[in-house]
Amino acid sequence: MDLTVSPRAAEIAADVDTFVRERIEPAEAKITRDYAAMRARGENSFVVHPKIDELKAQAREAGLWNLFLPAGEHGDEWAARFGTRGGKGFSNVDYAAIAEKTGRTALAPLIFNCNAPDTGNMEVLLKYGTREQQEEWLVPLLEGRIRSAFLMTEPAVASSDATNMAARAEVDGDEIVINGRKWWSSGAAHPDCKVFVFMGLTDPDAPRHAQHSMVLVPADAPGVTIERALPVMGQLDEPLGHCEVSLENVRVPASNVLSGPGQAFAIAQGRLGPGRIHHCMRLIGLAEMALERACRRGTERVAFGKPLVQLGGNRERIAKARIDIDMARLLVQNAAAKLDAYGTEGARVDVSAIKAVVPQIACDVIDFAIQMHGGGGMSDDFPLTSAYATARSLRLADGPDEVHLGMVARAELKPYLAAAKGEAK
């Protein structure tokens, strides 16, 4: 596989890295403290910090905007219209290099208008939305004027098996009637969240993977209630949040269905491949940040008469972290190249592999960095606890490890099982 990054992508990745280090990281500590102060005063902390809007304007002016847009018919037009430098989308291999640089901080993807779940929702609208749906929702999302959420996971069922989904999206004449409760709806607490992509059961008698539909639901539709923002290991992730949302007899036009009733699983498969590449490369950037901080702390701090890096097995842990990060990066780049060459179906096993491996590696590296920082690593004085919460949650998001390992094992065992079955005959 050709893992070569184009000159344009390499240049933009370098500019993103500089922007993150010189503008976002220095601002992020103050933004985090300001949100904590709001919570301490009992105020609503789900507001947009003015520094975020300032940084977004700077990023857009620099052409570091909507960089996730894919190359080809579904992305180039929109990249030209909405400010991506060079006016074209990127291949998955190219964007992987850029996504890694945005992963160093929690805020960077939002600043560049490349944050989940908006990227996935925008890609769904790009690929499956009608022109009317695109003009109503995709345009303001690409402009950064609104935010969105993806409503899939449910508290009452084991959502690792998406066919368990019980919330309803039922056709009633020229309307869709929606009932159910969702949670871990990332982005729903943002004050500018205006639309949900809702996945629900439409026809329980249809074939297993044709029972569900995806529907565009305005966030202010009658019957929609944001019940609460869910903390992730104590992190509320302002201003986006992760919410529990109830929907009671919510009615939207049937034209809000994406790609037609029963098409939710087909859409989800097209959505998740690139999204998992994005998640994994951002995690590699996060792990690089953690290792960088661990090395700096370990060389600057002295205990028992020696720098911390010279104590215990810390040198070996640093070496292992470097090796693991580099292996993970190559694995993701390989998955990205297969996604570019063969599409979602051809890269299914590779995408499952990275989804199982990369979050675990990131967790291990961040945990080591926390250990190197001692008590400080457990505080909010450093971005390590929030980084760990992010990495740990991504071992569940887009499917738990066990689901993805099962996919890899199934592909590995398939020829052996077939041979054994033939021999048994």
Side-chain angles (χ1 to χ4, degrees):
M1 304 301 295
D2 184 5
L3 308 183
T4 306
V5 175
S6 71
R8 174 174 167 245
E11 178 186 345
I12 288 180
D15 289 347
V16 166
D17 189 52
T18 299
F19 194 104
V20 169
R21 291 173 183 270
E22 295 183 357
R23 303 193 195 191
I24 298 177
E25 286 186 353
E28 190 171 42
K30 183 180 186 309
I31 293 169
T32 300
R33 287 195 301 271
D34 288 348
Y35 279 129
M38 290 181 215
R39 292 195 301 271
R41 293 192 297 265
E43 299 173 4
N44 173 28
S45 57
F46 289 102
V47 297
V48 180
H49 195 286
K51 189 65 177 179
I52 292 177
D53 281 339
E54 178 186 329
L55 289 167
K56 285 172 68 175
Q58 293 172 7
R60 188 167 188 178
E61 184 178 355
L64 305 177
W65 190 255
N66 294 327
L67 301 170
F68 72 94
L69 285 168
E73 61 175 320
H74 296 302
D76 287 347
E77 171 198 348
W78 301 95
R81 284 179 63 183
F82 293 100
T84 299
R85 191 193 302 171
K88 296 192 333 184
F90 286 105
S91 69
N92 285 295
V93 169
D94 276 352
Y95 183 64
I98 297 166
E100 176 179 345
K101 304 305 182 184
T102 71
R104 284 182 60 89
T105 81
L107 279 178
L110 180 62
I111 300 302
F112 299 119
N113 212 40
C114 292
N115 60 293
D118 289 319
T119 50
N121 291 340
M122 286 190 272
E123 286 179 335
V124 165
L125 285 163
L126 281 169
K127 191 171 182 180
Y128 302 101
T130 65
R131 203 65 185 184
E132 292 74 20
Q133 291 168 344
Q134 290 171 345
E135 291 299 325
E136 183 173 5
W137 300 116
L138 179 59
V139 167
L141 281 166
L142 287 168
E143 290 178 341
R145 292 189 285 112
I146 69 170
R147 301 262 63 90
S148 64
F150 184 57
L151 275 58
M152 179 176 177
T153 306
E154 297 177 11
V157 299
S159 298
S160 55
D161 178 359
T163 61
N164 284 337
M165 210 175 302
R168 307 299 289 254
E170 298 172 300
V171 179
D172 183 16
D174 60 357
E175 291 185 315
I176 302 293
V177 183
I178 295 170
N179 284 281
R181 185 173 290 253
K182 300 286 187 175
W183 69 347
W184 301 114
S185 303
S186 298
H190 195 288
D192 297 330
C193 182
K194 302 301 182 186
V195 64
F196 303 144
V197 177
F198 173 92
M199 187 167 170
L201 180 65
T202 299
D203 182 3
D205 297 321
R208 188 164 178 247
H209 289 97
Q211 297 177 359
H212 296 79
S213 303
M214 284 193 189
V215 187
L216 296 165
V217 180
D220 61 357
V224 173
T225 304
I226 305 294
E227 300 289 350
R228 56 175 176 151
L230 297 161
V232 179
M233 301 178 75
Q235 310 289 327
L236 283 174
D237 293 338
E238 296 100 338
L240 295 166
H242 314 276
C243 294
E244 185 169 350
V245 184
S246 63
L247 304 99
E248 185 174 356
N249 294 322
V250 176
R251 289 181 172 268
V252 300
S255 58
N256 283 28
V257 176
L258 285 158
S259 198
Q263 295 300 305
F265 277 90
I267 295 172
Q269 288 308 308
R271 176 186 191 272
L272 287 176
R276 285 170 178 159
I277 299 287
H278 303 175
H279 271 151
C280 287
M281 286 306 290
R282 284 195 295 264
L283 279 176
I284 289 169
L286 197 64
E288 287 282 11
M289 178 277 294
L291 180 58
E292 181 182 304
R293 286 180 175 271
C295 291
R296 187 180 299 123
R297 184 80 165 188
T299 52
E300 292 173 352
R301 286 286 175 119
V302 174
F304 306 104
K306 294 181 181 180
L308 295 182
V309 292
Q310 304 294 355
L311 296 173
N314 286 333
R315 289 170 62 89
E316 289 78 7
R317 293 184 185 103
I318 289 168
K320 185 176 186 304
R322 167 49 55 214
I323 292 166
D324 284 347
I325 291 171
D326 288 349
M327 286 194 305
R329 180 184 293 107
L330 287 168
L331 195 65
V332 179
Q333 289 171 332
N334 182 65
K338 286 192 176 179
L339 198 59
D340 286 330
Y342 308 121
T344 302
E345 188 62 33
R348 185 186 297 272
V349 173
D350 304 270
V351 170
S352 285
I354 64 172
K355 186 61 184 58
V357 168
V358 177
Q360 181 63 70
I361 286 174
C363 282
D364 292 344
V365 175
I366 297 164
D367 183 73
F368 168 61
I370 290 172
Q371 194 73 7
M372 290 292 284
H373 282 71
M378 301 296 291
S379 75
D380 289 337
D381 289 356
F382 300 93
L384 297 172
T385 53
S386 62
Y388 188 85
T390 295
R392 186 62 185 85
S393 67
L394 286 175
R395 288 185 60 198
L396 292 168
D398 293 340
D401 294 353
E402 292 80 2
V403 169
H404 295 292
L405 291 170
M407 169 70 73
V408 176
R410 186 159 57 250
E412 189 70 16
L413 290 169
K414 185 177 180 180
Y416 299 97
L417 293 172
K421 185 177 181 180
E423 292 172 2
K425 291 180 179 179

